[in-house]
Amino acid sequence: MTSEPVRIALGPKHSDLLRQAITGSGATLSDLDRARALVWDGGPAGFPRRLPAGIEWVQLFSAGVEEWFETDVFDAHPDVVFTSAAGAFARSVAEHALALLLAGVRHLPEHIRASSWRQTEFFPRIGTLRGATVAVVGAGGIGRELIELLAPLGARVIAVNRSGRAIDHPTVLETIPAERLSEVWPRTDHVVVAAPATAATRQLIGKDELSQLRPHSWVINIARGRLIDTDALVDALRDGTIGGAGLDVTDPEPLPDGHPLWDLPNAIVTPHDSNPPQLRTVAFAERVADNVARFVAGRELNARIDLAAGY
C-alpha cells in the first residue's frame, strides 16, 4: 500500500527553481485547496485571506517578518505553523556587514573620495580588527556567520542574543542576554546590529548608547533601519562621538536625496542590497528544499516564527 503524497502549493509566483525545490524534496505540487502546506514567495499583499482547512504549514519568503505582524494573517490562522527565511540569507548579509566594518576601520570612504596623495593625514586614524572587540547584537543566523568571518582577522566578539545561551566559539569572549545589553556599549570597539525588528528593538541604539561608545567605534546596521535612532546617529557622526556608521538599512528607507547621511564623510550607506535578488532566490530555494524534506519526514521545521517574540 502506497502512502498519500505530501501535497504542497506554491504562490503567488511559480518559479522553476522553487518547483524543483519542492518536488526534489519528496513532495508533490498541488493546488491550494488540496495542499497540506504553502510556499509563499511574496509579501503580505495578496496572501489568501483564508487558507483552506487542510493547510498545516506556510513557508514565507522573508527573513524579517515585521510587515506580516502588521496584518491579521497570523491571527486569522492560529492553527497553522508559519516559518520565515531567517538564517537562509545569513552568509551574504554577514559578508556585507564585514565589508562595511572593514571599510570603516580602514577609512576607505575617505580614501575613495580623495583626489590627492594624503598619506600621512590618514595614518593616525587607520585601525585594525586584530585584537578589537566587536559586539554582535543579534547573534542568530547572520550573527553566527559574521562571528566565523571575524575569527581569521583576530577580532574578539561579545555576542548578544535573546536567551543568553552561550555560543561556543573561540572568538566569543562572552554571550550576553538581550536584557543586559546596556553592559555592552562601554566594553566594545565596534557594534554590528543584526537583531530582528520588533517593538522591543525599536531605536535600540540612541543617544545614550552612542555616547558610551568610543571615538573610533563603527556602528554597522544590516538588520532594519528603525533599530537605530537616525537623528541621534547623525549627531554622533557629526560630533565625532563615534568613528562612523555603515548602514545597509536606514530609517527612513529609502533614504531620501539630500539626507545628511549621504554627505557625512564617516557614513557608508548601501541601498539595502546585502542580499541581492540573484543570491536571495537561490538561498530561498535551498531553505524551501530543506524545510519541505523536514515536513515530509515529520521533523522540526527551520525558522518557525515565534508569535509571542515577534519573529
Side-chain angles (χ1 to χ4, degrees):
M1 183 176 178
T2 59
S3 59
E4 182 73 15
V6 175
R7 300 181 185 277
I8 296 181
L10 174 62
K13 293 169 274 187
H14 297 84
S15 75
D16 288 340
L17 198 60
L18 290 180
R19 286 175 178 271
Q20 292 165 10
I22 292 170
T23 58
S25 300
T28 300
L29 277 168
S30 167
D31 58 73
L32 188 59
D33 289 337
R34 301 174 61 204
R36 290 177 54 195
L38 168 63
V39 173
W40 186 258
D41 62 344
F47 189 81
R49 181 67 181 172
R50 291 289 175 188
L51 292 171
I55 296 294
E56 304 167 30
W57 161 54
V58 175
Q59 172 68 58
L60 300 180
F61 177 74
S62 53
V65 291
E66 63 273 13
E67 291 183 354
W68 290 86
F69 276 96
E70 294 169 0
T71 73
D72 65 350
V73 168
F74 299 143
D75 291 335
H77 305 97
D79 298 324
V80 175
V81 172
F82 285 85
T83 56
S84 73
F89 314 126
R91 175 55 64 133
S92 174
V93 179
E95 285 179 359
H96 198 89
L98 180 61
L100 290 172
L101 181 57
L102 276 171
V105 169
R106 304 298 294 189
H107 280 272
L108 293 187
E110 292 180 79
H111 283 80
I112 292 168
R113 292 187 179 108
S115 58
S116 62
W117 193 269
R118 297 154 53 196
Q119 187 182 61
T120 56
E121 178 184 338
F122 285 124
F123 279 164
R125 290 175 287 158
I126 295 174
T128 179
L129 290 180
R130 182 163 298 280
T133 300
V134 179
V136 178
V137 180
I142 295 170
R144 288 172 182 266
E145 287 284 352
L146 179 60
I147 289 168
E148 292 288 347
L149 295 176
L150 286 168
L153 300 177
R156 302 166 298 187
V157 171
I158 298 174
V160 181
N161 57 26
R162 186 173 62 164
S163 67
R165 185 178 297 111
I167 295 176
D168 184 15
H169 193 281
T171 298
V172 178
L173 297 173
E174 185 179 1
T175 306
I176 291 178
E179 63 189 24
R180 291 171 48 203
L181 180 59
S182 60
E183 301 174 18
V184 171
W185 313 120
R187 297 177 52 196
T188 191
D189 291 294
H190 309 289
V191 178
V192 178
V193 183
T198 67
T201 60
R202 188 173 186 84
Q203 295 198 349
L204 191 71
I205 298 179
K207 181 179 179 180
D208 290 344
E209 292 75 22
L210 292 167
S211 69
Q212 297 177 65
L213 296 175
R214 305 174 187 185
H216 66 265
S217 296
W218 274 74
V219 175
I220 309 300
N221 189 3
I222 42 76
R224 290 292 187 267
R226 70 187 193 187
L227 272 67
I228 297 179
D229 181 336
T230 301
D231 292 339
L233 179 64
V234 168
D235 289 343
L237 292 169
R238 282 174 169 162
D239 297 344
T241 303
I242 62 172
L247 310 170
D248 188 50
V249 290
T250 59
D251 184 22
E253 187 174 310
L255 192 67
D257 293 351
H259 193 281
L261 286 171
W262 288 120
D263 296 320
L264 285 166
N266 53 349
I268 308 171
V269 179
T270 56
H272 205 150
D273 61 0
S274 62
N275 185 32
Q278 68 272 23
L279 302 181
R280 184 167 63 240
T281 302
V282 174
F284 181 63
E286 291 172 352
R287 168 56 58 85
V288 168
D290 181 51
N291 261 353
V292 167
R294 289 170 177 267
F295 185 71
V296 170
R299 295 161 52 209
E300 183 69 21
L301 298 171
N302 271 320
R304 180 168 177 162
I305 296 172
D306 184 333
L307 301 184
Y311 61 92

